[in-house]
Amino acid sequence: MKVLSDLSQWQDLRRGLPSELGFVPTMGALHEGHLSLLRRSATENKISVLSIYVNPTQFNDPKDLQNYPDTLQQDLAAAEQAGVDFVLMPKYEQLYADGFRYQVTETQFSEKLCGRNRPGHFTGVLTVVMKLLNIVRPQRAYFGKKDYQQYLLVRDMVDAFFMPVDIVGCDTVREVDGLAMSSRNLNLETSARKQAARFYEIIRAPLSDAEIRCQLNDAGFQVDYVESCHGRRFAAIVTRGKNSGQTVRLIDNVAI
Ligand code: PAF
């Protein structure tokens, strides 16, 4: 496995690689959910590429960016085990040489759900994903359905801009108690982590969104949203982080 941070070096290398290339973009702090995407990418493609880049343009809360977990050495070992051939770790100066003057904005669905209270979040996501797809030039790119809104927005962006890549949505991987795997789970305070299992249990119940919201409140969560659309129920809650005063935002979605 080769680790590269220089994009020109990668672009030179890319010219000699086969077109059947799979790509998994991440912000690191890899968990079993990421590893399932990486294993699938390695199985379905000749070459498999992972990017690790904590993208500042998608964080509207500087504290969230600061607290984003960093487990690089473990990530690299796990990536190698999962069959990754190349890891790209670009630097801001190269990736955003334009100073973020150019942005990819979706004007409707990105304003809903996670976009409502996180202005600019999906513009940051779509912009970095388009840059990474253009740099890596994969045949297939893998996205987890835990971030279902992100998956739909990326899939539709690729269609809207006629980008030659298949966006593959992969099922959410869960902890034994049902909590969707997320890098942010590492930041949960011990009792909040135990309580977080109730999130998935509650949103799966055959109740209205309003009733689910009440149940989440009763379970002690601060509710950001509970909304059903696209055949799914989406929810986001805020709970306690392990540092004093820190909060952790968790999202999940289920088919209805
Ligand atoms: O899902 C993520 O980890 C990020 O939003 C992504 C797709 C890597 C873009 O920074």
Side-chain angles (χ1 to χ4, degrees), residues 28-34 68-69 146-147 172-175 179-188 248-251:
L30 302 185
H31 50 68
E32 199 44 48
H34 295 118
Y68 205 81
K146 203 253 316 165
D147 299 307
T172 303
V173 179
R174 298 183 179 279
E175 302 282 358
L179 178 65
M181 292 211 180
S182 163
S183 307
R184 288 191 167 82
N185 295 351
L186 291 174
N187 287 341
L188 288 168
V248 177
R249 195 168 177 281
L250 299 176
I251 62 171

Side-chain angles (χ1 to χ4, degrees), residues 25-27 34 53 55 58 68 125 128-129 143 147 150:
T26 76
M27 299 201 295
H34 295 118
Y53 180 68
N55 175 37
Q58 72 188 72
Y68 205 81
V125 170
V128 83
V129 170
F143 288 81
D147 299 307
Q150 166 175 281

